[in-house]
Amino acid sequence: MTTPRRRMTLGLHHTVTGHHPGAWRVSTQTTDAESLEQHTAAARLAEQALVHLLLVSDDPGTPARPASAPSPEHPRLEPTVLLASLAARTEHIGLVGSVPSTSTDPVGLARRLSSLDHVSGGRAGWDLVAARSAGTSEHAWSDTHELVAAVHALWDAWSPDAVVRDRRTGVYVDPSRIDRVDRTVQGHPVRTPLPASRSPQGRPVLAHTVTSEAGGHFAGRHADIAILEAAHLPDGRPAAHDLAERAAAAGRDPAELHVLLRVHTVVAPSLAQAQDVHARLVAAGGEAADEAADENSTETWGRRTQGAASGTARPDLLVGTAHDVADRLTDLFEQGLVDGFLLAPALVPSGLRRLTREVVPILQARGLFRTERDGTTLRDQLAATRRPA
């Protein structure tokens, strides 16, 4: 019996202003980060291409932020509000929003995410973003573990059959089917039952951008999706295997963890044209290219630019034709380095259109990406791309 070829997971790091500080100056379209119409158009492009999920980042002070947001004053919509709006304007794509690990209101957080999972039909996810100050601090990471445990406990407290709607007895919800929650987060007790029934996924998908050893342990223990930057790839071994071992050490099925590499793309009809677009982006971005970089990361757009110009670019910057980009994604995936990619087009909407209409079809023709949907919920769709045991 022939073993089916493994297929990659693809996500879109969603923004309408592009993933480069100079993108809004180079783009031929006036971009507006607060325009629901532009967000909807981008989300639908990704959905039509069968991309599994889109990730909306928020905090510009984290490595997960869009490079197009060089300062805290850059206007943007709150992720869960935007994603709830997109839930009504899309049908299938997963909707993942960033959440700071410093949140001290697990009840409010659990309720927002559960509500998003309900209104989207099971497509919700959250990207738990560690604060810069966390680093390797055991105390800071202990608070993060407590937050996840409390949110999960609130979701799990509701039995799937707790809502009975019994007209004869007049019972709408059976309280005996809601467990008591008794948790503590950053010294604050969490005992209030969640005013939201069990959502379609039970637990919305949890993502985490790994930027440290402690973050890797956290992802191995809790995350469904681990997102990596090129600067933090383990040396000399596939990142997917490294994190899978951490998941196994935490008592989990390693196949449950999907490891995605965030890749920035500049796609054009020819390599020369792509390099020209990239050069114009760098010229337009100015000093903001380095200023926008995370101070805890060794990667900046400036350093990536030097690598691309010398032909020694890191694997997270892909500049070239649709075939060039597809070839590089294929190579990284077939090496077993990662399970898929979080695509971050430097230009939106033009760069996103080239990714979805030119690069994705090449991957599909090679049997590396799906040609039809694999389930209803985001968790179901991710399960279809699990690594073989």
Side-chain angles (χ1 to χ4, degrees), residues 54-352:
L54 57 83
L55 167 67
V56 176
S57 297
D58 185 32
D59 182 1
T62 70
R65 71 188 181 286
S68 56
S71 72
E73 292 75 30
H74 189 86
R76 59 201 180 277
L77 298 173
E78 194 280 325
T80 53
V81 172
L82 172 58
L83 292 173
S85 297
L86 292 178
R89 292 166 172 80
T90 59
E91 297 180 28
H92 307 287
I93 195 166
L95 305 168
V96 182
S98 68
V99 173
S101 63
T102 53
S103 173
T104 57
D105 180 18
V107 175
L109 173 59
R111 186 184 187 188
R112 287 199 308 277
L113 292 166
S114 179
S115 297
L116 179 60
D117 205 43
H118 277 291
V119 301
S120 66
R123 295 184 284 139
W126 52 317
D127 173 30
L128 193 61
V129 180
R132 280 185 178 182
S133 57
T136 57
S137 166
E138 292 185 9
H139 177 72
W141 281 103
S142 175
D143 289 344
T144 304
H145 287 287
E146 285 180 356
L147 174 65
V148 172
V151 169
H152 282 174
L154 287 164
W155 288 334
D156 295 346
W158 280 74
S159 169
D161 60 355
V163 179
V164 295
R165 300 187 184 91
D166 190 326
R167 295 177 184 271
R168 183 180 60 81
T169 62
V171 176
Y172 194 88
V173 174
D174 183 349
S176 69
R177 300 178 187 179
I178 305 174
D179 295 334
R180 184 174 181 272
V181 176
D182 188 1
R183 294 278 177 173
T184 301
V185 176
Q186 298 183 34
H188 302 287
V190 179
R191 298 190 179 92
T192 305
L194 190 66
S197 65
R198 193 169 184 84
S199 72
Q201 293 184 110
R203 293 180 176 183
V205 168
L206 173 60
H208 178 65
T209 299
V210 179
T211 59
S212 67
E213 188 75 13
H217 285 300
F218 174 86
R221 180 175 173 183
H222 296 293
D224 302 296
I225 299 172
I227 302 168
L228 294 178
E229 311 285 354
H232 300 103
L233 291 176
D235 293 332
R237 64 179 306 165
H241 294 174
D242 181 79
L243 286 166
E245 289 180 0
R246 297 172 191 258
R252 299 176 58 197
D253 178 356
E256 295 176 351
L257 179 59
H258 298 257
V259 182
L260 307 184
L261 175 67
R262 191 192 325 270
V263 291
H264 296 79
T265 62
V266 179
V267 186
S270 71
L271 176 58
Q273 287 172 298
Q275 290 173 331
D276 177 67
V277 171
H278 185 255
R280 287 190 286 124
L281 284 166
V282 174
E287 292 302 316
D290 281 339
E291 292 171 357
D294 172 43
E295 64 185 15
N296 291 327
S297 173
T298 60
E299 272 298 287
T300 68
W301 264 96
R303 293 194 186 101
R304 293 188 188 110
T305 300
Q306 293 168 12
S310 65
T312 58
R314 296 191 66 99
D316 68 338
L317 175 60
L318 309 182
V319 179
T321 66
H323 277 279
D324 291 333
V325 172
D327 287 347
R328 186 60 179 144
L329 294 177
T330 298
D331 182 49
L332 290 167
F333 180 68
E334 292 193 329
Q335 287 179 39
L337 185 67
V338 290
D339 300 311
F341 305 93
L342 185 65
L343 304 172
L347 283 176
V348 177
S350 60
L352 176 58

